[in-house]
Amino acid sequence: MFARHLLRPRARLPAATSLSCRPSRVVARHASTNSLKESPSTRRVGIYTTAGLASAALVYSITSGSRQNAAPAGSKTLKTKANAVPDLNEFGLSDQISFNPVPTSEDVTRQLNEHAFSLSGAAPVSRYDGAQLASNSPCEDALVHGTFADPFDAGRQPWSAWGVFDGHCGWQMSQLLTRQLVPHVRRALAAAQPGRDGVEAALAAAFTALDDAVVRSATDTIDNDGLSFAEKARRLEAAYAGACALLALYDPLAQTVTVASTGDCRAVLGRQTADGKWATTELTTDCTGANASEAARIRAQFPNEPDVVKGGRVWGMQPSRTFGDGMWKWSAALKDRLRDSFNGLSLPSAVRYAGYREGPYLTAEPLVTTTSVVGPPSESASEGSAKSPQPSFLILATDGLWDMMTSEQAVDLVGRWLDWQAGGSSKKPVLPDASGFGPTVLGRVQQCRYEARKATLQDDNAAVHLVRNGLGGGDGELVRGALTFRYPNSRDIRDDITVQVVFFNPPSPKGK
């Protein structure tokens, strides 16, 4: 997310943790239709939680040869034998600077697809696509997807889950959510009453219980004489970081999607209408200080702190509901102890936010909604009557995507992608006329942003399709430029981006 980040860079590898033992059929990993004759990476994925960190077992391998990682053309690399002192004479005496090569169009497609996947599901879920593009190093986003046993009857068809997590002040909390959120939700569901109210209450309880377990345990952690200093530090790091979370559960019996959200990740439903067009329904509300209802809620909670919400932020923090972010939730005395002895963050700034008191100012309690995916929201069917399947899709994404396009634009792009996909093997890339694009500019004048006139259709993965169009679409030079900038410079023009697109009741070949 576009905010302050305190990073300790380290190597980051894609990793995954199994959610369920139920096997799934893997749909071939997709790349561009006009490049990458051979996929740059190969994966075998079952039902997994993708964390993006090497803390869990790898379930696929990546074999890619990106030119961005190659040595600059004409540059020299030392040929050093093991345990030998490097001979620096091999660098020569040239005064010519050798720069790293810029990415080619093939490199762009390879990078956009590096963490992409497509999996088939059980009806009415025909398939779902995912993709992730980092801007931070390491990436602070994470995601989860898979199935788990029906919490009310293990003999019925399993439920499906999809989640995206947008970390800030580090990746530790978003990565923890990939391992811990679904188990907490399952435990809460096991004790819940069947039905919409029970499921929604269980999700809310699971979110707050997990956050409490991480954040409120800080005092017990540092006072525990049975833990070494390193163990205490490791237990604190997730609470020092923070994350916005979005989790969607699909109940195949009720044919409903229940979405729980904290922060500004967003879930959007695209539903095909009778005329073949796609209607947009936002299933979440951005929980930030810029949201009038959220600002009013917080001001009512802290009536004697008039500056608690200012400039769309809660004492400097943009999201108003988050996991972690202990420095916005702990007492002043505890924060002082952590800063003195356990390297606690100096946030919020006491200089900038002198009116800051005790809090807690942020909460992990989510906003929860339930939506039917078999008919329009206004449809009313008598009990026992069957609702006709209706083509629809669900887009879940971190704010890196929503910084670049609106919900309506995203739905339109996926709808057009579905029509294009109906062409099967005969379809050809759709590229815009580039003659009027003008010079390429990225910076204060222009950040990465979707423009309809630059829309393109060239990716077989719907999530990759959204990411490419957000970066510049058919303006290849703009997309190439956006990916040429690497961390930290990339943070000024694009955020980490994580997207999942779930397809229900696929439309007919003509899209009607």
Side-chain angles (χ1 to χ4, degrees):
M1 102 179 10
F2 277 101
R4 66 287 164 274
H5 294 262
L6 298 178
L7 302 176
R8 294 170 175 84
R10 64 201 71 193
R12 184 174 188 275
L13 295 175
T17 305
S18 177
L19 278 185
S20 166
C21 60
R22 178 175 178 267
S24 70
R25 181 172 63 85
V26 179
V27 177
R29 183 176 177 278
H30 300 284
S32 169
T33 59
N34 64 342
S35 64
L36 290 184
K37 296 181 180 179
E38 182 176 344
S39 173
S41 67
T42 57
R43 309 179 180 188
R44 290 197 60 80
V45 184
I47 308 298
Y48 296 106
T49 304
T50 303
L53 291 166
S55 60
L58 287 174
V59 295
Y60 58 84
S61 63
I62 296 179
T63 56
S64 62
S66 172
R67 292 180 70 252
Q68 280 200 272
N69 295 325
S75 67
K76 296 181 180 292
T77 56
L78 295 182
K79 299 177 182 179
T80 305
K81 296 181 180 180
N83 300 321
V85 175
D87 181 6
L88 300 183
N89 293 306
E90 294 183 19
F91 283 131
L93 299 173
S94 174
D95 62 354
Q96 298 300 308
I97 304 298
S98 296
F99 295 99
N100 288 327
V102 299
T104 65
S105 59
E106 290 78 12
D107 292 330
V108 166
T109 296
R110 187 175 292 114
Q111 186 173 350
L112 293 178
N113 282 274
E114 184 178 3
H115 301 297
F117 57 88
S118 293
L119 298 175
S120 62
V125 178
S126 58
R127 97 180 213 186
Y128 62 90
D129 294 356
Q132 185 178 86
L133 179 69
S135 181
N136 287 294
S137 179
C139 181
E140 296 182 338
D141 278 7
L143 63 105
V144 62
H145 57 93
T147 65
F148 60 87
D150 185 313
F152 307 115
D153 186 345
R156 294 195 298 232
Q157 183 177 339
W159 286 25
S160 296
W162 303 275
V164 294
F165 312 119
D166 181 4
H168 49 261
C169 291
W171 48 263
Q172 291 87 346
M173 178 53 77
S174 60
Q175 188 265 346
L176 181 146
L177 291 175
T178 65
R179 303 190 313 272
Q180 301 294 337
L181 184 56
V182 170
H184 271 72
V185 168
R186 293 186 64 194
R187 282 194 293 272
L189 287 171
Q193 292 295 317
R196 172 175 177 166
D197 291 344
V199 172
E200 291 187 355
L203 274 168
F207 272 52
T208 54
L210 175 54
D211 189 59
D212 286 348
V214 175
V215 176
R216 293 192 177 184
S217 62
T219 299
D220 291 339
T221 294
I222 62 179
D223 288 339
N224 189 337
D225 294 334
L227 297 176
S228 67
F229 181 86
E231 289 173 317
K232 294 177 181 180
R234 181 64 77 220
R235 295 189 182 193
L236 290 168
E237 65 176 358
Y240 286 164
C244 302
L246 170 62
L247 184 68
L249 303 182
Y250 175 66
D251 177 356
L253 182 64
Q255 298 188 66
T256 56
V257 171
T258 301
V259 178
S261 174
T262 64
D264 52 7
C265 298
R266 190 182 306 169
V268 178
L269 183 68
R271 203 190 304 263
Q272 194 171 41
T273 58
D275 60 3
K277 296 181 180 180
W278 294 92
T280 301
T281 303
E282 292 185 351
L283 305 187
T284 56
T285 300
D286 291 352
C287 299
T288 70
N291 181 309
S293 61
E294 285 291 282
R297 173 183 64 82
I298 296 169
R299 289 191 178 107
Q301 188 177 356
F302 301 97
N304 297 322
E305 300 180 43
D307 294 330
V308 62
V309 180
K310 194 171 184 179
R313 294 176 177 265
V314 183
W315 291 128
M317 175 65 74
Q318 186 174 19
S320 54
R321 298 174 187 250
T322 68
F323 280 92
D325 291 317
M327 289 301 178
W328 279 259
K329 299 176 181 178
W330 289 319
S331 67
L334 176 56
K335 286 186 293 185
D336 282 342
R337 287 186 65 190
L338 293 170
R339 288 167 178 163
D340 288 344
S341 304
F342 293 92
N343 197 29
L345 306 184
S346 298
L347 294 172
S349 168
V351 175
R352 294 185 63 183
Y353 307 109
Y356 183 101
R357 296 182 183 178
E358 291 290 317
Y361 298 101
L362 307 179
T363 177
E365 181 179 358
L367 298 183
V368 188
T369 63
T370 300
T371 306
S372 171
V373 296
V374 298
S378 61
E379 181 178 4
S380 59
S382 60
E383 188 170 349
S385 65
K387 295 181 181 179
S388 58
Q390 183 184 34
S392 57
F393 54 81
L394 177 66
I395 304 172
L396 304 98
T398 57
D399 70 338
L401 181 73
W402 307 118
D403 288 338
M404 302 188 298
M405 65 182 64
T406 66
S407 301
E408 291 77 13
Q409 289 171 333
V411 168
D412 178 67
L413 279 168
V414 175
R416 293 168 62 183
W417 180 89
L418 281 169
D419 290 339
W420 178 68
Q421 284 287 309
S425 58
S426 63
K427 67 182 183 298
K428 297 181 180 179
V430 177
L431 301 173
D433 178 7
S435 60
F437 287 172
T440 301
V441 175
L442 283 170
R444 288 189 298 179
V445 173
Q446 177 179 317
Q447 298 176 350
C448 295
R449 184 76 185 178
Y450 169 67
E451 296 182 60
R453 67 191 180 103
K454 296 182 178 181
T456 182
L457 293 159
Q458 55 181 291
D459 298 291
D460 283 333
N461 181 299
V464 173
H465 167 69
L466 287 173
V467 175
R468 184 192 293 272
N469 276 282
L471 295 173
D475 189 341
E477 188 62 19
L478 184 60
V479 177
R480 210 159 63 109
L483 296 184
T484 298
F485 287 109
R486 293 171 289 190
Y487 179 80
N489 308 86
S490 59
R491 292 293 288 111
D492 292 328
I493 57 172
R494 59 183 175 88
D495 197 358
D496 296 332
I497 307 168
T498 301
V499 184
Q500 296 196 69
V501 184
V502 184
F503 295 96
F504 301 94
N505 305 313
S508 62
K510 291 184 180 181
K512 296 182 179 180

